[in-house]
C-alpha cells in the first residue's frame, strides 16, 4: 500500500495563518492516517519539505518507521544549514512576515519562476507551458497565504531538529541522497544528519 498525503497547510488541507511546524506535522502524518489504514510501521520516503517532516517523524516515532529515505533537501539547524541560509540564491528560506502575502498576491508566477528558472538543475527541461496551470492551482488553493508559509516556521524546526539530533543516532536504516553539491549546497545537510 502506498500513502501519499499532502503536508498540512499545503494542497487541499486546512491552512491556518501560522502554518505548521514540522514536529506537529510529523505527529499528524504518522498518527491518525496510518492508524485508520491499519498501518503499524512503514517505509518512509521523503523529498523536499517532506524531509523536514520525515526527520521529525523518525525522531519522535521511531517505532513506526522501519526505513527512511531522504531525498534532496537540507534540514533546518543541522549540518550546512547556516551556510545555506546565508546563500543569496536560497533567499526563500527567510521569505516570510506579514507583508509576504501582499508582495506575492497576483505575482505568483514571478515567485514560482525563480524556482523553475534558477533553482532547478536543468531549467531547459521546464519550458513554461505548465506555468499557467500551476500558478492557477496555487492561487485557487491558497488561503491566508499559508501555501507560502512552510518556510517561516524553520526557526522552530531548527531548534526541534537540534534537540532530535542530541538524542542520538536514528535506529532505522537511512538512505539519504541529494543533488550535486557543485550545483547547490543541499546534499551536505542531509548527509550530515543521516548517519546510521
Amino acid at each position: 500500500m502506498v500513502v501519499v498525503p499532502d503536508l498540512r497547510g499545503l494542497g487541499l488541507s486546512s491552512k491556518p495563518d501560522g502554518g505548521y511546524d514540522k514536529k506537529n506535522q510529523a505527529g499528524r502524518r504518522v498518527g491518525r492516517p496510518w492508524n485508520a489504514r491499519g498501518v503499524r510501521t512503514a517505509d518512509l520516503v521523503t523529498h523536499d519539505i517532506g524531509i523536514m517532516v520525515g526527520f521529525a517523524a523518525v525522531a519522535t516515532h521511531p517505532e513506526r518507521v522501519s526505513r527512511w529515505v531522504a531525498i534532496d533537501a537540507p534540514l533546518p539547524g543541522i549540518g550546512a544549514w547556516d551556510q545555506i541560509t546565508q546563500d543569496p540564491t536560497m533567499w526563500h528560506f527567510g521569505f516570510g512576515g506579514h507583508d509576504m502575502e501582499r508582495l506575492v498576491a497576483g505575482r505568483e508566477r514571478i515567485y514560482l519562476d525563480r524556482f523553475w528558472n534558477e533553482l532547478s538543475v536543468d531549467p531547459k527541461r521546464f519550458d513554461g507551458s505548465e506555468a499557467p496551470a500551476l500558478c492557477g492551482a496555487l492561487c485557487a488553493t491558497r488561503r491566508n497565504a499559508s501555501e507560502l508559509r512552510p518556510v517561516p516556521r524553520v526557526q522552530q524546526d531548527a531548534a526541534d531538529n537540534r534537540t532530535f539530533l542530541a538524542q542520538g543516532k536514528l535506529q532505522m536504516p537511512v538512505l539519504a541522497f541529494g543533488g550535486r553539491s557543485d550545483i547547490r549546497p543541499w546534499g551536505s545537510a542531509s548527509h550530515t544528519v543521516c548517519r546510521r
Side-chain angles (χ1 to χ4, degrees):
M1 174 186 349
V2 176
V3 178
V4 184
D6 277 341
L7 293 179
R8 301 295 291 170
L10 299 174
L12 300 175
S13 77
S14 61
K15 297 172 177 61
D17 284 340
Y20 292 92
D21 62 66
K22 308 313 177 288
K23 181 171 64 176
N24 286 322
Q25 286 212 39
R28 292 172 185 267
R29 294 299 97 208
V30 301
R32 188 174 42 173
W34 288 13
N35 295 339
R37 291 172 178 83
V39 176
R40 295 179 54 86
T41 62
D43 296 339
L44 185 62
V45 179
T46 59
H47 169 69
D48 197 34
I49 292 175
I51 288 179
M52 300 174 192
V53 177
F55 183 58
V58 299
T60 58
H61 303 283
E63 74 287 353
R64 304 291 310 260
V65 181
S66 52
R67 295 181 290 188
W68 180 37
V69 177
I71 306 169
D72 202 24
L75 287 171
I78 297 175
W81 181 252
D82 290 338
Q83 174 190 348
I84 291 166
T85 59
Q86 298 302 314
D87 182 343
T89 64
M90 301 289 117
W91 58 269
H92 54 284
F93 282 111
F95 188 54
H98 299 294
D99 292 325
M100 179 179 60
E101 299 88 20
R102 294 186 316 152
L103 290 168
V104 174
R107 299 176 182 92
E108 291 82 3
R109 173 68 187 264
I110 296 169
Y111 177 76
L112 294 174
D113 273 348
R114 173 87 162 98
F115 293 90
W116 299 321
N117 296 335
E118 297 179 37
L119 298 179
S120 61
V121 172
D122 185 2
K124 294 175 185 164
R125 295 192 67 174
F126 183 80
D127 65 10
S129 61
E130 302 94 336
L134 294 170
C135 291
L138 175 64
C139 295
T141 62
R142 185 162 55 93
R143 296 189 303 263
N144 299 324
S146 60
E147 289 282 0
L148 304 175
R149 287 192 179 156
V151 171
R153 299 301 298 250
V154 295
Q155 290 180 341
Q156 181 61 52
D157 300 332
D160 291 339
N161 289 345
R162 285 189 289 271
T163 299
F164 299 150
L165 191 61
Q167 295 170 357
K169 293 181 180 181
L170 299 175
Q171 300 305 305
M172 73 286 301
V174 175
L175 172 62
F177 55 97
R180 289 181 12 213
S181 61
D182 61 325
I183 296 173
R184 297 280 172 254
W186 301 63
S188 57
S190 57
H191 286 88
T192 300
V193 174
C194 302
R195 310 186 286 269
R196 189 161 173 234

